[in-house]
């Protein structure tokens, strides 16, 4: 009888509220709702504008194979480049974070962290410039070596692109772009590992690596995964760097070192949009919708992983 | 390494704790020197270039150190040393492209980083000379507008989520902000363009459209960082303020925000840095022009990323002049971002709650 | 008190920031200060003219605009290289005053143009003529002759090695290396591609089975974004071959293209010649001077791989000011002086006297609605 | 200045959970009233309901009457903000505003409410409040230093100075000494004895000696079991509570603790 509510209906307490409070809380709520509206707007825009392409007969869609046939290689290219980026960047980012947090001398650790953070903010177009001017030519000998020695693997079947502007190069550029994002998050969670955990491990006579493996990595795992997903989201949506670096002239292929590569959704929109009109534009926006859904999926997955892991990591 | 002949630094501990053998402190150096020697030999056999030399040295040195450590210190320490080598070399690998990026931009961009670049636009410029004054101003104006739109909305949303929000609306806003961080930048640009085009007719290119597009990208970043920072403000301060008879909104404005101002400033500045270099959305919303335009509500504006993009992809004759300008604009963008980061640091130092005695 | 309170510090900071912005907002040193409106000695016109369209034309437009600004310093001409399709769409929707396009308006667009401009319709002036060069990067081969069929074979990836007999037949004196050919094409949709493909389709016959569009039809080659992307890909690779505006070729080798019995090197003169000898498209509005290029020409000294860009505008504008500006600017564009400025800026071929006279009739007709 | 508070049949809820049940009590002006009892029995909740701080938590509400000198604090037209201005509060852990100097902290109640005041008047008020909190002599040379630079005891007295600077009628103290060392605790207790000439003071404490030392009246809260609401078991003059309580539970609690 005690925990349930009182027998009489509780009197509705309508506290007197000041005008200032009402205006301010109303403003805050409106701002929040505005975000919902903007997002709904973006969603509605994407759906409405892609409808003509979705309902169009296959011959009218660019490539004349229908919408699915048009978008499929783009989705493949988007996922492939982002996957390469993720596979390359995650271990390196963890290494950077470990190095800065536990290995580097204290005096240089902070400036190093600052420099790496700074790289997260370098405009993507600069990465694109650099990718064409420096990275792609440097990679050619390496690709030739790959083809010669590992050519039996379909990934490195060749023929080698003589300019180096391949899927692997694009993936590497993306990897370098998302490296600072992942490492920043990893560094943060590593730095937050409770001193007690670390000292407990060291007090047991653990070496530095054993301390990291026992105390730091389990604690930071969700942060690293979250950072990786964030980086993946960025890689999926990257536009200019890919448009500049990648040689796009092929369909679905796992061959990473030749000239013929599938484009990515974002880069394809940037490349095709200026000269497009009519249904072509709708088709591009439909591909944008696909990209939006993919990133939505990745972000939801990231949040889910982080939340699920949070229960076990000992973080609060 | 000259001191290596001195007494081994690892004299047995005086406390007499039994300990396994340890490698002397010069051992890693020696191992890597040996690795370098072997690398030269290997290189002479095949083909020696700096890249392969470094790779051979690191690989051989790591193996040598691991083997030596395993023999003297046992497997646990050997693994520790191996991981140290791996972490350091992974860090080195990661730094190579990052450093080369900076060097490349500096070497290509410094040449045109002169007075003319900052003082003139592209009006009447063919070939040599010209500058990016108009693009710099355009970037400042568009980014300023973006900040003006995003910060109030983002901050108020964060305040709503932390101070007022309850139930389903709060949860859905949190989720939607997450979704919004995933909007690809080009999609944001197309959305802003379509929005304005439906009112003002197609072909519309205005600074404000770009600002709206960038805001779509910036708001979630602001909300996220502001939310984190506001959550860190201790509840006790809010209660202290309420207990003084201060209304909630004044408590937020005068106690919560000032306490969090350092973090808010840093978060906002980093959010600006995140959008200032966006190219794709500006291409379809703001366009490009040669002349300086201070009015974001009338006509096209030049912005640094778009300027750099067009200078690189549509150079005149001879192309080199335009390409130089593109690199310098890229360098200028990096400098701008660096400046913003610096400002963020200053803000957090400037406004940090005082704790000193 | 030495220490300022947080609030006053914030004020100081914002004042300093505002001051910096105000100081820098003083205008570019090379721009005429037309705020006072006093430009008495200038050409008399003032205002802003907005155009958008072909990115191929961008460099030439820079030349036109730069040259024009010395004639009419108070007029600002903006040109946004959004692409031909976008340029046409924006113009037809009323977003811009004129368009630059690599392809003339199709019938549907002409119908839309009636809505935009009224019954008197549009003018289309072929004001930018640029030879598209076939550029290559091949050590030891300084001169390369390619017949249309061979060229098509290479870009269709049927001919994959530089020592292919077809190439050798065109170049009996050259020592061709045993090296794979990497054809480079544009990855973005472009007028350059469309013109190049149109040429291959018209001149190479069976060897080029693809349809004509702005998208590159063959998969698997090297693709790069923009003319500059193609140039940098060609110069960055080995055994590469691509197509780009002649003016952007730089140090790369430029192939001579087979026309009739001879091989013609691209040059502004050879490009102008083929335009001169091509026919105006039939059944177009009075002031549309669209040209169907004679791609399969066999005329001596004519270079058939040419990109023509048009300026498209209304014959009748709604307000007098725009009409005056368009009229004055277009007069400058077709003038010898203007064409020379564009040629210097972009390496384009100046239009011939005949084309200029034609164009002038259209420009003279530009009026404002009553 | 000091006012009496009459509470009648007060029930306090967190959502559907009734935390405190049926409290009826009269708090005398110009005296110190102490509230004791085991943890979780609703002392703090009751205290916070006196100046409507309770409502700050989402879902919290109150039934019953709290009347201060004839004015119903939970009346329909009463603004909780006004209530809090008349009834000040000091918290368990000292919480000076970290962004403000000592001076600004004391002046915060006025500044945050945008009261316009002459500089000299404000100076006077700050000095008066700091003197009232027995802190003036320790901080008068460093009024512009951050408040968070003081020791814990000094910070708590700063918070008291801040609370009395808005000149409330009643001062509520929620375990004000639990985070302090014995010397600071003594200083605060002395301060309370001084302040009760001007204010009505209600203090929640776990320290029964403290209650015995400083208070005139003592209320004992208890609950019957986990999940049950807290009740006011006994309310009597302090002397009686500690020597001859009416209720068995009170005696058990006090003797158990005194051992």
């Amino acid at each position: 009888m005690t925990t349930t509510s009182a027998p009489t209906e509780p009197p509705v307490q309508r506290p007197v509220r000041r005008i200032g409070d009402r205006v301010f809380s109303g403003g805050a709520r409106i701002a929040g709702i505005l975000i919902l509206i903007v997002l709904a707007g973006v969603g509605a825009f994407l759906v409405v504008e892609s409808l003509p392409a979705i309902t169009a007969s296959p011959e009218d869609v660019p490539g004349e194979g229908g919408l699915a046939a048009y978008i499929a290689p783009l989705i493949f290219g988007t996922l492939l480049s982002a996957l390469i980026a993720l596979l390359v960047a995650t271990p390196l980012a963890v290494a950077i974070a470990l190095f800065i947090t536990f290995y580097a001398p204290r005096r240089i650790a902070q400036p190093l962290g600052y420099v790496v953070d700074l790289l997260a903010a370098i405009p993507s177009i600069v990465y694109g410039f650099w990718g064409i001017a420096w990275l792609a030519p440097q990679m050619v000998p390496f690709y030739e070596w790959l083809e010669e020695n590992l050519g039996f693997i379909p990934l490195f079947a060749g023929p080698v692109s003589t300019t180096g502007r391949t899927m692997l190069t694009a993936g590497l550029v993306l990897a370098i772009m998302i490296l600072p994002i992942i490492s920043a998050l990893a560094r943060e969670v590593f730095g937050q590992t409770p001193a007690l955990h670390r000292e407990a491990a060291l007090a047991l006579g653990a070496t530095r690596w054993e301390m990291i493996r026992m105390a730091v990595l389990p604690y930071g795992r969700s942060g690293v995964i979250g950072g990786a997903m964030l980086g993946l989201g960025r890689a999926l949506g990257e536009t200019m760097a890919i448009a500049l670096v990648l040689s796009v002239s092929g369909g679905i292929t796992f061959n990473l070192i030749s000239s013929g590569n599938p484009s990515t959704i974002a880069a394809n929109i940037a490349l095709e949009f200026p000269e497009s009109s009519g249904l072509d534009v709708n088709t591009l926006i439909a591909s944008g919708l696909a990209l939006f859904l993919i990133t939505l999926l990745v972000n939801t997955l990231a949040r889910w992983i982080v939340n699920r892991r949070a229960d076990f990591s000992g973080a609060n | 390494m000259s001191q290596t002949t001195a007494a081994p630094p690892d004299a047995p501990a005086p406390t007499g704790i039994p300990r396994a053998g340890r490698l002397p402190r010069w051992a890693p150096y020696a191992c890597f020197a040996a690795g370098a020697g072997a690398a030269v030999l290997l290189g002479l056999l095949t083909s020696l270039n700096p890249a392969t030399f470094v790779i051979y040295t690191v690989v051989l040195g790591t193996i040598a150190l691991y083997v030596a450590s395993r023999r003297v210190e046992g497997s646990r320490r050997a693994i520790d040393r191996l991981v140290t080598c791996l972490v350091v070399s992974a860090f080195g690998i990661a730094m190579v492209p990052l450093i080369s990026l900076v060097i490349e931009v500096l070497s290509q961009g410094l040449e045109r980083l002169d007075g003319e670049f900052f003082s003139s636009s592209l009006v009447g410029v063919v070939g040599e000379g010209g500058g990016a004054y108009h693009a710099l101003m355009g970037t400042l104006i568009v980014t300023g507008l973006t900040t003006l739109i995003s910060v109030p909305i983002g901050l108020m949303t964060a305040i709503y989520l932390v101070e007022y929000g309850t139930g389903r609306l709060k949860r859905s806003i949190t989720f939607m902000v997450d979704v919004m961080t995933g909007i690809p930048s080009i999609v944001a640009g197309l959305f802003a363009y379509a929005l304005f085009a439906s009112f003002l007719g197609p072909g519309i290119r205005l600074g404000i459209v770009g600002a709206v597009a960038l805001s779509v990208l910036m708001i979630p970043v602001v909300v996220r960082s502001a939310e984190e920072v506001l959550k860190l403000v201790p509840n006790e301060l809010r209660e202290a303020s309420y207990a003084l008879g201060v209304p909630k909104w004044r408590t937020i404005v005068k106690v919560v925000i000032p306490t969090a101002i350092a973090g808010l400033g840093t978060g906002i500045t980093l959010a600006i840095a995140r959008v200032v270099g966006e190219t794709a959305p500006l291409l379809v919303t703001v366009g490009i022009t040669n002349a300086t335009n201070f009015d974001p509500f009338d006509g096209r504006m030049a912005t640094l990323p778009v300027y750099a993009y067009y200078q690189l992809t549509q150079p005149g004759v001879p192309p080199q002049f335009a390409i130089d300008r593109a690199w310098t604009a890229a360098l200028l963008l990096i400098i701008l971002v660096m400046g913003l980061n610096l400002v963020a640091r200053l803000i957090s130092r400037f406004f940090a709650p005082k704790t000193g005695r | 008190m030495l220490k300022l309170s947080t609030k006053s510090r914030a004020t100081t900071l914002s004042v300093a920031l505002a001051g910096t912005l105000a100081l820098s907002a003083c205008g570019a040193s090379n721009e005429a200060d037309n705020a006072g409106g006093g430009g008495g000695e200038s050409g008399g016109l003032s205002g802003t003219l907005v155009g958008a369209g072909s990115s191929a034309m961008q460099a030439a437009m820079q030349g036109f605009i730069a040259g024009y600004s010395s004639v009419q310093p108070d007029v600002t001409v903006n040109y946004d290289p959004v692409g031909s399709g976008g340029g046409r769409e924006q113009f037809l929707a009323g977003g811009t005053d004129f368009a630059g396009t690599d392809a003339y308006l199709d019938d549907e667009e002409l119908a839309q143009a009636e809505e935009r401009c009224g019954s008197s319709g549009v003018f289309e002036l072929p004001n930018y003529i640029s030879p598209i060069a076939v550029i290559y990067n091949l050590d030891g081969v300084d001169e390369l002759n390619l017949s249309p069929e061979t060229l098509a074979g290479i870009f269709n990836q049927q001919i994959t090695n530089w020592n292919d007999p077809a190439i050798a037949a065109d170049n009996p004196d050259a020592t061709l290396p045993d090296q794979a050919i990497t054809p480079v094409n544009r990855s973005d949709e472009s007028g350059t591609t469309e013109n190049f493909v149109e040429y291959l389709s018209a001149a190479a016959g069976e060897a080029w089975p693809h349809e004509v569009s702005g998208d590159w039809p063959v998969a698997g080659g090297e693709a790069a974004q923009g003319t500059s992307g193609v140039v940098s890909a060609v110069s960055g690779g080995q055994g590469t071959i691509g197509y780009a505006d002649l003016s952007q070729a730089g140090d790369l080798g430029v192939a001579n293209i087979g026309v009739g019995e001879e091989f013609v090197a691209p040059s502004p003169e050879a490009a102008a010649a083929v335009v001169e000898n091509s026919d105006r498209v039939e059944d177009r509005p009075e002031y549309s001077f669209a040209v169907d290029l004679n791609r399969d020409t066999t005329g001596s000294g004519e270079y058939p791989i040419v990109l023509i860009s048009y300026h498209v505008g209304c014959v009748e504008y709604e307000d007098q000011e725009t009409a005056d500006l368009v009229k004055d600017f277009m007069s400058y564009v077709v003038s010898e002086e203007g064409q020379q400025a564009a040629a210097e800026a972009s390496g384009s071929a100046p239009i011939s006297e005949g084309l200029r006279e034609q164009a002038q009739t259209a420009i003279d007709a530009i009026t404002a609605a009553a | 200045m000091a006012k009496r508070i009459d509470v009648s049949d007060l029930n306090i809820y967190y959502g559907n959970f009734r935390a405190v049940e049926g409290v009826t009590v009269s708090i005398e002006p110009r005296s110190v009233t102490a509230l004791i009892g085991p943890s979780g029995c609703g002392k703090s909740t009751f205290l916070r309901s006196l100046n409507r701080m309770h409502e700050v938590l989402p879902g919290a509400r109150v039934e019953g009457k709290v009347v201060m000198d004839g004015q119903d604090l939970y009346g329909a037209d009463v603004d909780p903000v006004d209530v809090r201005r008349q009834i000040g509060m000091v918290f368990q852990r000292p919480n000076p505003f970290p962004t403000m100097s000592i001076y600004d902290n004391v002046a915060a109640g006025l500044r945050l409410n945008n009261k316009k005041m002459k500089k000299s008047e404000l100076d006077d008020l700050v000095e008066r409040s700091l003197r009232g909190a027995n802190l003036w002599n320790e901080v008068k040379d460093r009024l512009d230093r951050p408040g968070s630079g003081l020791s814990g005891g000094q910070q708590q007295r700063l918070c008291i100075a801040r609370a009395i600077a808005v000149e409330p009628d009643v001062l509520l103290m929620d375990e004000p000494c639990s985070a302090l060392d014995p010397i600071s605790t003594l200083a605060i207790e002395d301060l309370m004895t001084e302040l009760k000439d001007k204010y009505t003071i209600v203090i929640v404490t776990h320290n029964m000696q403290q209650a015995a030392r400083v208070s005139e009246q003592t209320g004992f809260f208890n609950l019957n079991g986990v999940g049950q609401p807290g009740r006011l078991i006994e309310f009597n003059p302090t002397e009686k509570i500690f020597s001859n309580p009416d209720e068995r539970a009170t005696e058990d609690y006090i003797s158990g603790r005194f051992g």
Side-chain angles (χ1 to χ4, degrees), chain D residues 23 25 27 32-38 41-48 50 172-173 175 201-208 211 215 217-221 232 234-235 253:
Chain D
V23 177
V25 70
I27 294 166
V32 176
T33 303
L35 304 175
I36 58 171
C41 66
K43 306 181 300 285
S44 292
T45 304
F46 173 69
L47 188 77
R48 288 165 66 94
L50 293 183
L172 308 176
M173 295 183 164
E175 302 182 39
I201 296 178
V202 185
I203 173 173
V204 165
T205 180
H206 276 294
N207 181 336
M208 270 168 285
S215 69
Q217 306 278 326
T218 298
F220 172 60
F221 276 82
L232 180 63
E234 180 173 356
F235 188 79
Y253 179 68

Coordinates of all heavy atoms in Angstrom, one line a residue, chain D residues 23 25 27 32-38 41-48 50 172-173 175 201-208 211 215 217-221 232 234-235 253:
Chain D
V23 N 4.3 13.6 7.5 CA 5.1 14.4 8.4 C 4.2 15.6 8.9 O 3.8 16.4 8.0 CB 6.4 14.8 7.8 CG1 7.2 15.7 8.8 CG2 7.2 13.6 7.4
V25 N 4.8 18.8 11.6 CA 5.8 19.3 12.5 C 5.8 20.8 12.5 O 5.4 21.4 11.5 CB 7.2 18.7 12.2 CG1 7.7 19.3 10.9 CG2 8.2 19.0 13.3
I27 N 8.3 24.1 13.1 CA 9.7 24.4 13.3 C 9.8 25.9 13.8 O 9.2 26.8 13.2 CB 10.5 24.3 12.0 CG1 10.6 22.8 11.6 CG2 11.9 24.9 12.1 CD1 11.0 22.5 10.2
V32 N 17.7 26.2 16.3 CA 18.2 25.2 15.4 C 17.4 24.0 15.6 O 17.2 23.5 16.8 CB 19.7 25.0 15.7 CG1 20.2 23.8 14.9 CG2 20.5 26.2 15.6
T33 N 16.9 23.4 14.5 CA 16.2 22.2 14.6 C 17.0 21.1 13.9 O 17.5 21.3 12.7 CB 14.8 22.3 13.9 OG1 14.1 23.4 14.5 CG2 14.1 21.0 13.9
A34 N 17.3 20.0 14.6 CA 18.1 19.0 14.0 C 17.3 17.8 13.6 O 16.3 17.5 14.2 CB 19.2 18.5 15.0
L35 N 17.6 17.2 12.4 CA 16.9 16.0 12.0 C 17.9 14.9 12.0 O 19.0 15.0 11.3 CB 16.3 16.2 10.6 CG 15.4 17.4 10.4 CD1 15.0 17.6 9.0 CD2 14.2 17.2 11.3
I36 N 17.6 13.8 12.7 CA 18.5 12.7 12.7 C 17.8 11.4 12.3 O 16.6 11.4 12.1 CB 19.1 12.4 14.1 CG1 18.0 12.2 15.2 CG2 20.0 13.6 14.5 CD1 18.5 11.8 16.5
G37 N 18.6 10.4 12.1 CA 17.9 9.1 11.7 C 18.9 8.4 10.8 O 19.9 8.9 10.3
P38 N 18.6 7.1 10.5 CA 19.5 6.3 9.7 C 19.5 6.7 8.2 O 18.6 7.4 7.8 CB 18.9 4.9 9.8 CG 17.5 5.0 10.3 CD 17.5 6.3 11.1
C41 N 16.3 7.4 5.3 CA 15.0 7.4 5.9 C 14.2 8.7 5.5 O 13.2 8.9 6.1 CB 15.2 7.4 7.4 SG 16.0 8.8 8.1
G42 N 14.8 9.5 4.7 CA 14.0 10.6 4.2 C 14.3 11.9 4.8 O 13.6 12.9 4.5
K43 N 15.3 12.0 5.6 CA 15.6 13.3 6.3 C 15.9 14.4 5.2 O 15.4 15.5 5.2 CB 16.9 13.2 7.2 CG 16.9 12.1 8.2 CD 18.2 12.1 9.0 CE 19.4 11.9 8.2 NZ 19.6 10.6 7.8
S44 N 16.9 14.0 4.3 CA 17.3 15.0 3.3 C 16.1 15.3 2.4 O 15.9 16.5 2.0 CB 18.5 14.5 2.5 OG 19.6 14.4 3.3
T45 N 15.4 14.3 2.0 CA 14.2 14.5 1.1 C 13.3 15.5 1.8 O 12.8 16.4 1.1 CB 13.5 13.2 0.9 OG1 14.5 12.3 0.4 CG2 12.4 13.3 -0.1
F46 N 13.0 15.3 3.1 CA 12.1 16.2 3.8 C 12.7 17.6 3.8 O 12.0 18.6 3.5 CB 11.9 15.7 5.2 CG 11.2 16.6 6.1 CD1 9.8 16.9 5.9 CD2 11.8 17.3 7.1 CE1 9.1 17.8 6.7 CE2 11.1 18.2 7.9 CZ 9.8 18.5 7.7
L47 N 14.0 17.7 4.1 CA 14.7 19.0 4.2 C 14.5 19.7 2.8 O 14.2 20.9 2.8 CB 16.1 18.8 4.5 CG 16.9 20.1 4.8 CD1 16.5 20.6 6.2 CD2 18.4 19.9 4.8
R48 N 14.8 19.0 1.8 CA 14.7 19.6 0.4 C 13.3 20.0 0.0 O 13.1 20.9 -0.8 CB 15.3 18.6 -0.6 CG 16.8 18.5 -0.5 CD 17.3 17.3 -1.3 NE 17.1 17.5 -2.7 CZ 18.0 18.0 -3.5 NH1 19.2 18.4 -3.0 NH2 17.7 18.2 -4.8
L50 N 11.3 21.4 2.0 CA 11.0 22.7 2.7 C 11.2 23.9 1.8 O 10.6 24.9 2.0 CB 11.8 22.8 4.0 CG 11.4 21.8 5.1 CD1 12.2 22.0 6.3 CD2 9.9 21.8 5.4
L172 N 18.6 26.1 5.5 CA 18.6 24.6 5.6 C 20.0 24.1 5.4 O 20.7 24.6 4.5 CB 17.6 24.0 4.6 CG 16.2 24.6 4.5 CD1 15.5 24.0 3.3 CD2 15.5 24.4 5.8
M173 N 20.4 23.2 6.3 CA 21.8 22.6 6.1 C 21.7 21.1 6.0 O 21.2 20.5 6.9 CB 22.6 23.1 7.3 CG 22.8 24.6 7.4 SD 23.9 24.9 8.7 CE 24.4 26.6 8.3
E175 N 23.6 18.0 6.2 CA 24.9 17.4 6.6 C 26.0 18.3 6.3 O 26.9 17.9 5.5 CB 25.1 16.0 6.0 CG 24.0 15.1 6.3 CD 24.2 13.7 5.7 OE1 25.4 13.3 5.7 OE2 23.3 13.1 5.2
I201 N 17.0 27.8 11.6 CA 18.0 26.8 11.0 C 17.5 25.4 11.1 O 17.0 25.0 12.2 CB 19.4 27.0 11.7 CG1 19.9 28.4 11.4 CG2 20.3 25.9 11.1 CD1 21.3 28.6 12.0
V202 N 17.5 24.7 10.0 CA 17.2 23.3 10.1 C 18.4 22.5 9.6 O 18.9 22.8 8.5 CB 15.9 22.9 9.2 CG1 15.6 21.5 9.4 CG2 14.8 23.8 9.6
I203 N 18.9 21.5 10.3 CA 20.1 20.8 10.0 C 19.8 19.3 10.0 O 19.2 18.8 10.9 CB 21.2 21.2 10.9 CG1 22.5 20.4 10.6 CG2 20.9 21.1 12.4 CD1 23.7 20.8 11.3
V204 N 20.3 18.7 8.9 CA 20.3 17.2 8.9 C 21.7 16.8 9.3 O 22.7 17.3 8.8 CB 19.9 16.7 7.5 CG1 20.3 15.3 7.3 CG2 18.5 17.0 7.2
T205 N 21.8 15.8 10.2 CA 23.1 15.4 10.6 C 23.1 13.9 10.9 O 22.1 13.4 11.4 CB 23.6 16.2 11.7 OG1 24.9 15.8 12.1 CG2 22.7 16.2 12.9
H206 N 24.2 13.3 10.7 CA 24.4 11.9 11.1 C 25.1 11.9 12.5 O 25.2 10.8 13.1 CB 25.2 11.1 10.1 CG 24.4 10.6 9.0 ND1 23.4 9.6 9.2 CD2 24.3 10.9 7.7 CE1 22.9 9.4 8.0 NE2 23.4 10.2 7.1
N207 N 25.6 13.0 12.9 CA 26.4 13.1 14.0 C 25.5 13.5 15.2 O 25.1 14.6 15.3 CB 27.5 14.1 13.8 CG 28.5 14.2 15.0 OD1 28.1 13.9 16.1 ND2 29.7 14.7 14.7
M208 N 25.2 12.5 16.1 CA 24.2 12.8 17.1 C 24.8 13.8 18.2 O 24.0 14.6 18.8 CB 23.8 11.5 17.8 CG 22.5 11.0 17.0 SD 22.1 9.4 17.4 CE 23.3 8.5 16.5
A211 N 24.1 17.1 16.9 CA 22.7 17.5 17.1 C 22.5 17.9 18.5 O 21.8 18.9 18.8 CB 21.8 16.3 16.8
S215 N 21.4 22.0 18.7 CA 20.0 22.2 18.4 C 19.1 22.3 19.6 O 19.5 21.9 20.7 CB 19.5 21.0 17.5 OG 19.4 19.8 18.3
Q217 N 15.6 21.7 19.1 CA 14.6 20.7 18.8 C 15.3 19.6 18.0 O 16.1 19.9 17.1 CB 13.4 21.3 18.0 CG 12.8 22.5 18.6 CD 11.8 22.1 19.6 OE1 11.1 21.1 19.5 NE2 11.6 23.0 20.7
T218 N 14.8 18.4 18.1 CA 15.3 17.3 17.3 C 14.2 16.5 16.8 O 13.3 16.2 17.6 CB 16.3 16.5 18.1 OG1 17.4 17.3 18.5 CG2 16.8 15.3 17.2
G219 N 14.3 16.1 15.5 CA 13.3 15.2 15.0 C 14.0 13.9 14.6 O 15.1 13.9 14.1
F220 N 13.4 12.8 14.9 CA 14.0 11.5 14.5 C 13.2 10.9 13.4 O 12.0 10.7 13.5 CB 14.0 10.6 15.8 CG 14.5 9.2 15.5 CD1 15.7 9.0 14.9 CD2 13.6 8.1 15.7 CE1 16.1 7.7 14.6 CE2 14.0 6.8 15.4 CZ 15.2 6.6 14.8
F221 N 13.8 10.6 12.3 CA 13.2 9.9 11.2 C 13.6 8.4 11.2 O 14.7 8.1 11.5 CB 13.6 10.5 9.9 CG 12.9 11.8 9.5 CD1 13.2 13.0 10.0 CD2 11.8 11.7 8.6 CE1 12.5 14.1 9.7 CE2 11.1 12.8 8.2 CZ 11.5 14.0 8.8
L232 N 8.4 10.5 10.3 CA 8.9 11.3 11.5 C 8.4 10.5 12.7 O 7.2 10.5 13.0 CB 8.4 12.7 11.5 CG 8.9 13.6 12.6 CD1 10.4 13.7 12.6 CD2 8.3 14.9 12.6
E234 N 9.6 10.9 16.0 CA 9.4 11.7 17.2 C 10.0 13.1 17.0 O 11.0 13.2 16.3 CB 10.2 11.0 18.4 CG 10.1 11.8 19.7 CD 10.7 11.0 20.8 OE1 11.1 9.8 20.6 OE2 10.8 11.6 21.9
F235 N 9.3 14.0 17.5 CA 9.9 15.4 17.4 C 9.7 16.0 18.8 O 8.6 16.2 19.3 CB 9.1 16.2 16.4 CG 9.7 17.5 16.1 CD1 10.8 17.6 15.2 CD2 9.2 18.7 16.7 CE1 11.3 18.9 15.0 CE2 9.7 19.9 16.4 CZ 10.8 20.0 15.6
Y253 N 17.8 3.8 18.6 CA 18.7 4.4 17.6 C 19.8 5.1 18.4 O 21.0 5.0 18.1 CB 18.0 5.3 16.7 CG 18.8 6.0 15.7 CD1 19.4 5.3 14.7 CD2 19.1 7.4 15.7 CE1 20.2 5.9 13.7 CE2 19.9 8.0 14.8 CZ 20.4 7.3 13.8 OH 21.2 7.9 12.9

